[in-house]
Amino acid sequence: MKSPRSLRAAATAAALSTLALAPFAGRAQTAPAASSDDIAALREQIRLLDQKLRVLERNVELKDEAATAAAAKTPGVNADAKGFSLTSPDKKYSLRIRANIQADGRYYFEDRDAGIDTPDAFVLRRIRPSFEGTVAEKYGYRLMFDLANNQVQLLDAYATYKYSDAFSALFGKTKSPFDLERLVSQTNLLFIERSLPTLLGPNRDTGVQVYGDFLTGRLSYQAAYLDGASDGASLETESGGNDGKDTVVRLFTHPFKNDQDSFLKGLGLGFAYSTGTREVATGAFRAYTSNALVPFFQYGGTVRPDGSHDRVSPQLYFYKGPFGVMASYTESIQELVTTTVVGGVNTITPASKRADLTNRAWAVNVNYVLTGEDAGHNINPKPAQDFNFEAGTWGAWEVAARLSQLAVDEATFAGAGTGTFANRNTQAQRIDSYSLGVNWYLNRNVKASLNFEHSEFQEADASTADFENENAILSRVQLSF
Amino acid sequence: MNFSPLSRLAAATLAALVLAGSAAAKSIELLNVSYDPTRELYVEYNAAFAAHWKAKTGDDVVVKQSHGGSGKQARSVIDGLRADVVTLALAGDIDAIAKNAGALPADWQTRFPHNSSPYTSTIVFLVRKGNPKAIKDWDDIVKPGVSIITPNPKTSGGARWNYLAAWEYAKRKNGGSDEAAKAFVAKLYKNVPVLDSGARGSTTTFVQRGIGDVFLSWENEAFLAVKEFGADQFEIVVPSLSILAEPPVAVVDKVAKRKGTAEVAKAYLEYLYSDEGQDIAGKNFYRPIDPKAAAKYAGQFTKVELFTIDQAFGGWTKAQKEHFDDGGYFDQIYLKN
């Protein structure tokens, strides 16, 4: 349809043509020549026509202005692959509703035979609705629950304040800013379960964090003062079961981020450090588990942390096109003490044994997107074409491999009897894991994964155990938005 | 307690910095929410006031301006636009802010001289060069075939002045008959092809888009059009009777107190009554209220018989209710048209 402006131009041109040709028309035809009155009348008609079209054009313009003004006052409602959201007209207030459902299947061929017979199972690994957004422009919030295992857990609950890109603050409970893979969203994991170094870092913790970017995003920092969480676990209780506190600092750099043509544009290097004291009752340790979630190490029941707890973790990743690699190393040094039950209470006595124990873990994983989409850190490949059986399109396919190891300090098992801090006859000293995986991204919201996990266990010195290798297949169907 | 010399030096340096900071000049920002045709007036006035305030207090003042149809602007302030001061087209719009937002007291008009109107204006006709439709007075514009440009009285203060001026003219001519006035104004709006939301929009319609034969215009807006586009494009026609428009000003207490700008906001409006403020008003084709400035600029204004809203309509509250509220005379006329 022609615009009023072009209509006006066409009508004016036609009328002018008529007017211009009028004096000559008489020569070619027998019709009488146009009088000056006729010309004046034509001119008036042109003027009126021109006015009408100008009015039409102006009214359309005003209608557009009114529509634009009205749109600016209308709250935004959005539903797309990123979730469902509401936004105030001034963009200062927003709410986004997201969710993640992970339905897993686990099949164990062999396990390490320490009296553990891990059942094959279908499980709902994660059922996590979350609510996040902004209030008054600079303040943010997030609430995330987990409904798996028929219970309700509050995982994330925090408020943020953004002063600038270089400085934001977070108050509440979320992931401790330490471990590289722990900070990857549950929906974007390369393998079904995170690797062994995450067992030595803190999980979720409550406290205060500050963070920001410098050097146009090439250097980022996170610093936190937290309640303190044991290795691989979230804080002991919501009310704060650890009298000591943890300080966590993490620096991460993307040195070539802004060099568009650099081969190393996707390189990230970082270092995390945490230090604190831990003074909690016994039972404050989470069992170390294989990549197939089978426990292989647990401290003795009378052992408790009592003193300093430091961790370090150098970390890196590199992504280039469909290829990616991620690696991290974590060392956790913790002061532990044995206790004796006195009057029903675990008590430190003169006979208690005390030691600084150092556990170490590392992991390297590589991935390649077979269908050519870009791989990246903490994002899933975006399928160039969604899966559609009838159309013959198959989404994105990715293969991955991982090597990882966790070694418990040998001193843990030393001493009289079966060991001072752990039972050398039932607990493994080291695990070496090999993982292979295939991920199928049907679209941006649905992902299916299949992993093969092979783990080999090493016994501590003087152990009477002979742990068998563990082989397992893990599968997952994930829906997230 | 004994502190080390280094600690004392650091503390002294910090204290000196704090003192220096508190003694430094302040930078103050005001928001003046105004109606459409005052853009040029306040650009010049804001610069003059900033210089005056700097000389008087040493503080920097930056005045931001917001313009639109007067009724629309009042609505924005009621809805939360953080205006330190309002300088609107008519008292009824500031009354609405006082009533609906409680942002200033009901007697706000007593706070500054001359009912808080530091300048006045009136309504004139802007026609195209040569006055092809031979428009001389109100009767000429309601003739068939005359296209009139005037904004929407629901959103524009200037449009309400236009409407009331036409009403009163017809009423006086017809022996005080409101019915005759209503019929006259109905004829007038039959000739209006475009209703802009504000006076500046109507100026665009008439001047830049070339629509219409006559523009019912604020006097200062008409002068600006002639000044900007040339006397070879437009002419000003002054009708036999028009209305004395008294655009008022007020501090929005609720906002100014919260922002800590009450003192400078008050001074900002007071300075409109100063010699310099009055001179700037005259230069921008507003009629100054100060006799000295009024005399200086008298030559640029044609003499016209003016009536006030109080005389003809019993004040803004009554006029608003009878003519412009939902279901009022304007709705009856315009919806019927």
Side-chain angles (χ1 to χ4, degrees), chain B residues 263-315:
Chain B
E263 182 194 356
V264 66
K266 181 168 177 268
Y268 175 75
L269 296 184
E270 278 174 345
Y271 198 65
L272 283 166
Y273 294 86
S274 70
D275 289 348
E276 187 176 21
Q278 289 290 293
D279 191 61
I280 291 170
K283 265 202 282 183
N284 283 276
F285 310 109
Y286 287 87
R287 298 180 179 223
I289 55 158
D290 175 65
K292 195 167 64 178
K296 179 179 173 184
Y297 290 100
Q300 68 187 9
F301 302 115
T302 306
K303 284 188 179 168
V304 55
E305 181 186 351
L306 298 173
F307 65 89
T308 68
I309 185 122
D310 290 342
Q311 292 165 349
F313 296 94

Tab-separated table of all heavy atoms in Angstrom, chain B residues 263-315:
chain	number	residue	atom	x	y	z
B	263	GLU	N	14.859	25.452	48.042
B	263	GLU	CA	15.331	26.833	48.073
B	263	GLU	C	15.640	27.350	46.661
B	263	GLU	O	15.184	28.429	46.255
B	263	GLU	CB	16.585	26.923	48.945
B	263	GLU	CG	17.114	28.335	49.071
B	263	GLU	CD	18.526	28.377	49.648
B	263	GLU	OE1	19.058	27.320	50.010
B	263	GLU	OE2	19.100	29.491	49.696
B	264	VAL	N	16.385	26.556	45.915
B	264	VAL	CA	16.767	27.004	44.574
B	264	VAL	C	15.557	26.991	43.632
B	264	VAL	O	15.443	27.833	42.730
B	264	VAL	CB	17.966	26.181	44.035
B	264	VAL	CG1	17.603	24.742	43.796
B	264	VAL	CG2	18.521	26.805	42.764
B	265	ALA	N	14.636	26.078	43.848
B	265	ALA	CA	13.429	26.034	43.005
B	265	ALA	C	12.601	27.302	43.210
B	265	ALA	O	12.087	27.895	42.251
B	265	ALA	CB	12.598	24.789	43.355
B	266	LYS	N	12.499	27.719	44.456
B	266	LYS	CA	11.737	28.945	44.759
B	266	LYS	C	12.443	30.155	44.130
B	266	LYS	O	11.805	31.012	43.494
B	266	LYS	CB	11.637	29.112	46.281
B	266	LYS	CG	10.870	30.315	46.744
B	266	LYS	CD	10.598	30.208	48.254
B	266	LYS	CE	9.877	31.438	48.768
B	266	LYS	NZ	10.744	32.478	49.263
B	267	ALA	N	13.774	30.181	44.303
B	267	ALA	CA	14.534	31.292	43.735
B	267	ALA	C	14.416	31.324	42.210
B	267	ALA	O	14.372	32.401	41.593
B	267	ALA	CB	16.005	31.172	44.145
B	268	TYR	N	14.372	30.158	41.617
B	268	TYR	CA	14.257	30.035	40.155
B	268	TYR	C	12.974	30.720	39.661
B	268	TYR	O	12.988	31.457	38.671
B	268	TYR	CB	14.262	28.554	39.799
B	268	TYR	CG	14.028	28.225	38.340
B	268	TYR	CD1	15.014	28.416	37.389
B	268	TYR	CD2	12.808	27.685	37.921
B	268	TYR	CE1	14.799	28.095	36.055
B	268	TYR	CE2	12.584	27.354	36.595
B	268	TYR	CZ	13.583	27.562	35.669
B	268	TYR	OH	13.366	27.241	34.349
B	269	LEU	N	11.886	30.482	40.357
B	269	LEU	CA	10.620	31.087	39.936
B	269	LEU	C	10.556	32.567	40.313
B	269	LEU	O	9.999	33.379	39.565
B	269	LEU	CB	9.440	30.312	40.541
B	269	LEU	CG	9.324	28.860	40.067
B	269	LEU	CD1	8.078	28.207	40.648
B	269	LEU	CD2	9.294	28.767	38.535
B	270	GLU	N	11.127	32.915	41.454
B	270	GLU	CA	11.144	34.334	41.862
B	270	GLU	C	11.888	35.188	40.845
B	270	GLU	O	11.503	36.329	40.568
B	270	GLU	CB	11.819	34.477	43.241
B	270	GLU	CG	10.894	34.173	44.397
B	270	GLU	CD	11.623	34.183	45.738
B	270	GLU	OE1	12.873	34.146	45.763
B	270	GLU	OE2	10.925	34.182	46.767
B	271	TYR	N	12.942	34.596	40.294
B	271	TYR	CA	13.777	35.375	39.376
B	271	TYR	C	13.041	35.713	38.078
B	271	TYR	O	13.425	36.633	37.363
B	271	TYR	CB	15.077	34.603	39.082
B	271	TYR	CG	16.164	35.482	38.506
B	271	TYR	CD1	16.724	36.508	39.263
B	271	TYR	CD2	16.635	35.277	37.220
B	271	TYR	CE1	17.715	37.324	38.730
B	271	TYR	CE2	17.632	36.085	36.683
B	271	TYR	CZ	18.165	37.108	37.449
B	271	TYR	OH	19.139	37.921	36.933
B	272	LEU	N	11.948	34.983	37.811
B	272	LEU	CA	11.131	35.331	36.641
B	272	LEU	C	10.552	36.743	36.766
B	272	LEU	O	10.233	37.394	35.774
B	272	LEU	CB	9.982	34.324	36.486
B	272	LEU	CG	10.338	32.960	35.889
B	272	LEU	CD1	9.204	31.969	36.124
B	272	LEU	CD2	10.642	33.081	34.390
B	273	TYR	N	10.407	37.202	38.024
B	273	TYR	CA	9.828	38.528	38.266
B	273	TYR	C	10.884	39.629	38.293
B	273	TYR	O	10.559	40.801	38.429
B	273	TYR	CB	9.074	38.525	39.602
B	273	TYR	CG	7.842	37.631	39.599
B	273	TYR	CD1	7.942	36.284	39.897
B	273	TYR	CD2	6.586	38.141	39.293
B	273	TYR	CE1	6.835	35.459	39.899
B	273	TYR	CE2	5.457	37.325	39.290
B	273	TYR	CZ	5.584	35.983	39.594
B	273	TYR	OH	4.468	35.188	39.591
B	274	SER	N	12.144	39.233	38.198
B	274	SER	CA	13.227	40.225	38.241
B	274	SER	C	13.276	41.005	36.924
B	274	SER	O	12.632	40.631	35.936
B	274	SER	CB	14.565	39.515	38.456
B	274	SER	OG	14.891	38.786	37.276
B	275	ASP	N	14.067	42.049	36.900
B	275	ASP	CA	14.210	42.841	35.668
B	275	ASP	C	14.679	41.966	34.516
B	275	ASP	O	14.164	42.040	33.397
B	275	ASP	CB	15.216	43.988	35.885
B	275	ASP	CG	14.632	45.069	36.789
B	275	ASP	OD1	13.398	45.019	37.031
B	275	ASP	OD2	15.398	45.933	37.252
B	276	GLU	N	15.681	41.123	34.818
B	276	GLU	CA	16.216	40.273	33.758
B	276	GLU	C	15.190	39.242	33.289
B	276	GLU	O	15.012	39.007	32.087
B	276	GLU	CB	17.500	39.559	34.223
B	276	GLU	CG	18.165	38.794	33.081
B	276	GLU	CD	19.490	38.148	33.470
B	276	GLU	OE1	19.716	37.945	34.683
B	276	GLU	OE2	20.286	37.845	32.564
B	277	GLY	N	14.498	38.638	34.263
B	277	GLY	CA	13.476	37.634	33.929
B	277	GLY	C	12.368	38.248	33.084
B	277	GLY	O	11.923	37.644	32.092
B	278	GLN	N	11.926	39.417	33.454
B	278	GLN	CA	10.850	40.077	32.712
B	278	GLN	C	11.304	40.469	31.309
B	278	GLN	O	10.550	40.398	30.350
B	278	GLN	CB	10.384	41.315	33.483
B	278	GLN	CG	9.602	40.960	34.756
B	278	GLN	CD	8.236	40.362	34.440
B	278	GLN	OE1	7.366	41.037	33.922
B	278	GLN	NE2	8.063	39.089	34.735
B	279	ASP	N	12.558	40.901	31.208
B	279	ASP	CA	13.096	41.280	29.908
B	279	ASP	C	13.161	40.072	28.967
B	279	ASP	O	12.831	40.174	27.782
B	279	ASP	CB	14.495	41.891	30.095
B	279	ASP	CG	14.972	42.546	28.810
B	279	ASP	OD1	14.301	43.495	28.357
B	279	ASP	OD2	15.983	42.080	28.245
B	280	ILE	N	13.576	38.918	29.533
B	280	ILE	CA	13.649	37.703	28.712
B	280	ILE	C	12.248	37.288	28.260
B	280	ILE	O	12.047	36.874	27.114
B	280	ILE	CB	14.343	36.566	29.505
B	280	ILE	CG1	15.823	36.908	29.685
B	280	ILE	CG2	14.174	35.224	28.807
B	280	ILE	CD1	16.562	35.997	30.638
B	281	ALA	N	11.261	37.435	29.144
B	281	ALA	CA	9.879	37.117	28.763
B	281	ALA	C	9.443	37.987	27.580
B	281	ALA	O	8.881	37.493	26.591
B	281	ALA	CB	8.945	37.305	29.950
B	282	GLY	N	9.720	39.287	27.674
B	282	GLY	CA	9.347	40.209	26.599
B	282	GLY	C	10.039	39.874	25.298
B	282	GLY	O	9.433	39.886	24.226
B	283	LYS	N	11.336	39.550	25.412
B	283	LYS	CA	12.103	39.217	24.210
B	283	LYS	C	11.534	37.988	23.501
B	283	LYS	O	11.654	37.833	22.301
B	283	LYS	CB	13.561	38.917	24.599
B	283	LYS	CG	14.459	40.133	24.461
B	283	LYS	CD	15.913	39.721	24.324
B	283	LYS	CE	16.490	39.336	25.682
B	283	LYS	NZ	17.917	39.000	25.591
B	284	ASN	N	10.930	37.096	24.292
B	284	ASN	CA	10.359	35.876	23.722
B	284	ASN	C	8.864	36.015	23.449
B	284	ASN	O	8.146	35.024	23.381
B	284	ASN	CB	10.646	34.701	24.652
B	284	ASN	CG	12.089	34.218	24.546
B	284	ASN	OD1	12.430	33.432	23.668
B	284	ASN	ND2	12.945	34.741	25.418
B	285	PHE	N	8.418	37.259	23.348
B	285	PHE	CA	7.051	37.582	22.922
B	285	PHE	C	5.969	37.233	23.934
B	285	PHE	O	4.818	37.026	23.574
B	285	PHE	CB	6.734	36.940	21.555
B	285	PHE	CG	7.778	37.210	20.525
B	285	PHE	CD1	8.627	36.211	20.077
B	285	PHE	CD2	7.940	38.487	20.006
B	285	PHE	CE1	9.606	36.455	19.137
B	285	PHE	CE2	8.918	38.751	19.049
B	285	PHE	CZ	9.756	37.732	18.619
B	286	TYR	N	6.361	37.120	25.204
B	286	TYR	CA	5.359	37.053	26.266
B	286	TYR	C	5.145	38.483	26.760
B	286	TYR	O	6.028	39.325	26.645
B	286	TYR	CB	5.830	36.151	27.418
B	286	TYR	CG	5.792	34.688	27.045
B	286	TYR	CD1	6.868	34.082	26.414
B	286	TYR	CD2	4.655	33.922	27.307
B	286	TYR	CE1	6.832	32.760	26.040
B	286	TYR	CE2	4.603	32.584	26.943
B	286	TYR	CZ	5.693	32.011	26.303
B	286	TYR	OH	5.640	30.692	25.937
B	287	ARG	N	3.988	38.742	27.343
B	287	ARG	CA	3.691	40.082	27.833
B	287	ARG	C	4.147	40.171	29.295
B	287	ARG	O	3.560	39.519	30.172
B	287	ARG	CB	2.196	40.369	27.722
B	287	ARG	CG	1.716	40.340	26.272
B	287	ARG	CD	0.232	40.614	26.142
B	287	ARG	NE	-0.151	40.604	24.721
B	287	ARG	CZ	-0.962	41.488	24.164
B	287	ARG	NH1	-1.502	42.469	24.880
B	287	ARG	NH2	-1.262	41.405	22.892
B	288	PRO	N	5.196	40.946	29.570
B	288	PRO	CA	5.698	41.042	30.947
B	288	PRO	C	4.660	41.703	31.846
B	288	PRO	O	3.876	42.538	31.400
B	288	PRO	CB	6.942	41.934	30.812
B	288	PRO	CG	7.269	41.959	29.363
B	288	PRO	CD	5.981	41.769	28.637
B	289	ILE	N	4.671	41.346	33.126
B	289	ILE	CA	3.728	42.000	34.054
B	289	ILE	C	4.344	43.235	34.700
B	289	ILE	O	3.634	44.094	35.216
B	289	ILE	CB	3.249	41.025	35.151
B	289	ILE	CG1	4.448	40.424	35.888
B	289	ILE	CG2	2.350	39.959	34.580
B	289	ILE	CD1	4.073	39.915	37.251
B	290	ASP	N	5.652	43.301	34.689
B	290	ASP	CA	6.326	44.472	35.254
B	290	ASP	C	6.104	45.668	34.316
B	290	ASP	O	6.358	45.567	33.102
B	290	ASP	CB	7.827	44.177	35.372
B	290	ASP	CG	8.592	45.402	35.840
B	290	ASP	OD1	8.349	45.828	36.980
B	290	ASP	OD2	9.401	45.926	35.037
B	291	PRO	N	5.596	46.784	34.838
B	291	PRO	CA	5.253	47.924	33.972
B	291	PRO	C	6.416	48.403	33.111
B	291	PRO	O	6.233	48.771	31.949
B	291	PRO	CB	4.824	49.002	34.969
B	291	PRO	CG	4.414	48.260	36.189
B	291	PRO	CD	5.274	47.035	36.244
B	292	LYS	N	7.624	48.385	33.691
B	292	LYS	CA	8.778	48.889	32.949
B	292	LYS	C	9.064	48.001	31.724
B	292	LYS	O	9.208	48.480	30.602
B	292	LYS	CB	10.000	48.913	33.882
B	292	LYS	CG	11.145	49.734	33.372
B	292	LYS	CD	12.185	49.984	34.446
B	292	LYS	CE	12.819	48.677	34.879
B	292	LYS	NZ	13.875	48.798	35.877
B	293	ALA	N	9.101	46.705	31.963
B	293	ALA	CA	9.351	45.782	30.854
B	293	ALA	C	8.166	45.782	29.889
B	293	ALA	O	8.347	45.685	28.668
B	293	ALA	CB	9.601	44.374	31.391
B	294	ALA	N	6.953	45.865	30.440
B	294	ALA	CA	5.761	45.877	29.577
B	294	ALA	C	5.810	47.065	28.629
B	294	ALA	O	5.486	46.954	27.431
B	294	ALA	CB	4.502	45.919	30.429
B	295	ALA	N	6.248	48.219	29.157
B	295	ALA	CA	6.342	49.420	28.317
B	295	ALA	C	7.392	49.243	27.235
B	295	ALA	O	7.216	49.641	26.079
B	295	ALA	CB	6.676	50.623	29.197
B	296	LYS	N	8.488	48.596	27.611
B	296	LYS	CA	9.585	48.402	26.658
B	296	LYS	C	9.133	47.565	25.458
B	296	LYS	O	9.529	47.830	24.322
B	296	LYS	CB	10.756	47.713	27.370
B	296	LYS	CG	11.951	47.442	26.484
B	296	LYS	CD	13.077	46.771	27.272
B	296	LYS	CE	14.206	46.354	26.344
B	296	LYS	NZ	15.254	45.618	27.065
B	297	TYR	N	8.282	46.564	25.724
B	297	TYR	CA	7.901	45.655	24.645
B	297	TYR	C	6.486	45.905	24.128
B	297	TYR	O	5.974	45.132	23.311
B	297	TYR	CB	8.033	44.203	25.119
B	297	TYR	CG	9.477	43.805	25.306
B	297	TYR	CD1	10.066	43.793	26.574
B	297	TYR	CD2	10.272	43.480	24.207
B	297	TYR	CE1	11.396	43.444	26.752
B	297	TYR	CE2	11.601	43.132	24.374
B	297	TYR	CZ	12.167	43.123	25.640
B	297	TYR	OH	13.478	42.792	25.793
B	298	ALA	N	5.863	46.950	24.578
B	298	ALA	CA	4.470	47.220	24.189
B	298	ALA	C	4.321	47.347	22.680
B	298	ALA	O	3.300	46.945	22.099
B	298	ALA	CB	3.967	48.478	24.889
B	299	GLY	N	5.335	47.882	22.040
B	299	GLY	CA	5.260	48.138	20.619
B	299	GLY	C	5.094	46.909	19.759
B	299	GLY	O	4.570	46.975	18.641
B	300	GLN	N	5.531	45.771	20.269
B	300	GLN	CA	5.461	44.573	19.426
B	300	GLN	C	4.091	43.890	19.490
B	300	GLN	O	3.820	42.981	18.703
B	300	GLN	CB	6.560	43.571	19.804
B	300	GLN	CG	6.413	42.923	21.163
B	300	GLN	CD	7.647	42.057	21.518
B	300	GLN	OE1	8.657	42.071	20.840
B	300	GLN	NE2	7.537	41.339	22.620
B	301	PHE	N	3.246	44.322	20.436
B	301	PHE	CA	1.938	43.670	20.576
B	301	PHE	C	0.838	44.608	20.069
B	301	PHE	O	0.775	45.780	20.451
B	301	PHE	CB	1.664	43.331	22.036
B	301	PHE	CG	2.706	42.438	22.649
B	301	PHE	CD1	3.518	42.898	23.683
B	301	PHE	CD2	2.897	41.141	22.181
B	301	PHE	CE1	4.469	42.081	24.253
B	301	PHE	CE2	3.859	40.317	22.749
B	301	PHE	CZ	4.649	40.784	23.784
B	302	THR	N	-0.069	44.072	19.253
B	302	THR	CA	-1.226	44.839	18.796
B	302	THR	C	-2.212	44.969	19.954
B	302	THR	O	-2.396	44.014	20.713
B	302	THR	CB	-1.908	44.113	17.626
B	302	THR	OG1	-0.929	43.873	16.632
B	302	THR	CG2	-3.039	44.947	17.051
B	303	LYS	N	-2.828	46.138	20.054
B	303	LYS	CA	-3.797	46.317	21.130
B	303	LYS	C	-5.061	45.527	20.827
B	303	LYS	O	-5.557	45.517	19.702
B	303	LYS	CB	-4.122	47.793	21.292
B	303	LYS	CG	-3.006	48.532	22.009
B	303	LYS	CD	-3.388	49.935	22.357
B	303	LYS	CE	-2.222	50.601	23.089
B	303	LYS	NZ	-2.403	52.046	23.210
B	304	VAL	N	-5.535	44.827	21.836
B	304	VAL	CA	-6.707	43.981	21.654
B	304	VAL	C	-7.505	43.990	22.955
B	304	VAL	O	-6.931	44.090	24.046
B	304	VAL	CB	-6.284	42.546	21.268
B	304	VAL	CG1	-5.332	41.952	22.270
B	304	VAL	CG2	-7.483	41.653	21.089
B	305	GLU	N	-8.810	43.890	22.806
B	305	GLU	CA	-9.636	43.831	24.005
B	305	GLU	C	-9.511	42.433	24.605
B	305	GLU	O	-9.760	41.430	23.921
B	305	GLU	CB	-11.104	44.111	23.661
B	305	GLU	CG	-11.999	44.090	24.904
B	305	GLU	CD	-13.485	44.225	24.563
B	305	GLU	OE1	-13.804	44.500	23.384
B	305	GLU	OE2	-14.303	44.040	25.472
B	306	LEU	N	-9.112	42.362	25.852
B	306	LEU	CA	-8.892	41.080	26.499
B	306	LEU	C	-9.866	40.900	27.655
B	306	LEU	O	-10.145	41.849	28.388
B	306	LEU	CB	-7.459	40.982	27.033
B	306	LEU	CG	-6.332	41.056	25.986
B	306	LEU	CD1	-4.967	41.124	26.673
B	306	LEU	CD2	-6.382	39.860	25.048
B	307	PHE	N	-10.346	39.692	27.841
B	307	PHE	CA	-11.144	39.379	29.033
B	307	PHE	C	-10.418	38.284	29.809
B	307	PHE	O	-9.570	37.569	29.257
B	307	PHE	CB	-12.555	38.931	28.635
B	307	PHE	CG	-12.584	37.636	27.861
B	307	PHE	CD1	-12.680	36.410	28.524
B	307	PHE	CD2	-12.519	37.632	26.477
B	307	PHE	CE1	-12.707	35.225	27.817
B	307	PHE	CE2	-12.543	36.442	25.766
B	307	PHE	CZ	-12.630	35.229	26.437
B	308	THR	N	-10.757	38.180	31.074
B	308	THR	CA	-10.096	37.148	31.886
B	308	THR	C	-11.036	35.966	32.088
B	308	THR	O	-12.251	36.083	31.955
B	308	THR	CB	-9.682	37.690	33.275
B	308	THR	OG1	-10.875	37.955	34.024
B	308	THR	CG2	-8.849	38.946	33.165
B	309	ILE	N	-10.441	34.869	32.460
B	309	ILE	CA	-11.236	33.648	32.681
B	309	ILE	C	-12.175	33.826	33.866
B	309	ILE	O	-13.285	33.294	33.880
B	309	ILE	CB	-10.306	32.435	32.875
B	309	ILE	CG1	-11.123	31.150	32.991
B	309	ILE	CG2	-9.455	32.553	34.099
B	309	ILE	CD1	-10.776	30.151	31.992
B	310	ASP	N	-11.704	34.589	34.848
B	310	ASP	CA	-12.569	34.824	36.017
B	310	ASP	C	-13.799	35.627	35.608
B	310	ASP	O	-14.919	35.339	36.052
B	310	ASP	CB	-11.797	35.562	37.107
B	310	ASP	CG	-10.735	34.667	37.735
B	310	ASP	OD1	-10.844	33.436	37.574
B	310	ASP	OD2	-9.792	35.207	38.348
B	311	GLN	N	-13.576	36.649	34.785
B	311	GLN	CA	-14.704	37.485	34.358
B	311	GLN	C	-15.731	36.690	33.545
B	311	GLN	O	-16.938	36.770	33.780
B	311	GLN	CB	-14.204	38.643	33.471
B	311	GLN	CG	-13.372	39.685	34.198
B	311	GLN	CD	-12.618	40.582	33.214
B	311	GLN	OE1	-12.556	40.315	32.018
B	311	GLN	NE2	-12.023	41.646	33.743
B	312	ALA	N	-15.245	35.900	32.597
B	312	ALA	CA	-16.174	35.276	31.657
B	312	ALA	C	-16.680	33.907	32.090
B	312	ALA	O	-17.798	33.519	31.772
B	312	ALA	CB	-15.484	35.150	30.292
B	313	PHE	N	-15.836	33.169	32.822
B	313	PHE	CA	-16.213	31.779	33.109
B	313	PHE	C	-16.204	31.442	34.600
B	313	PHE	O	-16.395	30.290	34.968
B	313	PHE	CB	-15.266	30.824	32.365
B	313	PHE	CG	-15.383	30.939	30.875
B	313	PHE	CD1	-14.534	31.782	30.162
B	313	PHE	CD2	-16.358	30.252	30.175
B	313	PHE	CE1	-14.639	31.904	28.787
B	313	PHE	CE2	-16.467	30.372	28.801
B	313	PHE	CZ	-15.622	31.204	28.095
B	314	GLY	N	-15.930	32.426	35.443
B	314	GLY	CA	-15.939	32.170	36.889
B	314	GLY	C	-14.743	31.380	37.362
B	314	GLY	O	-14.823	30.687	38.381
B	315	GLY	N	-13.655	31.442	36.627
B	315	GLY	CA	-12.420	30.766	37.061
B	315	GLY	C	-12.231	29.417	36.377
B	315	GLY	O	-13.134	28.887	35.723
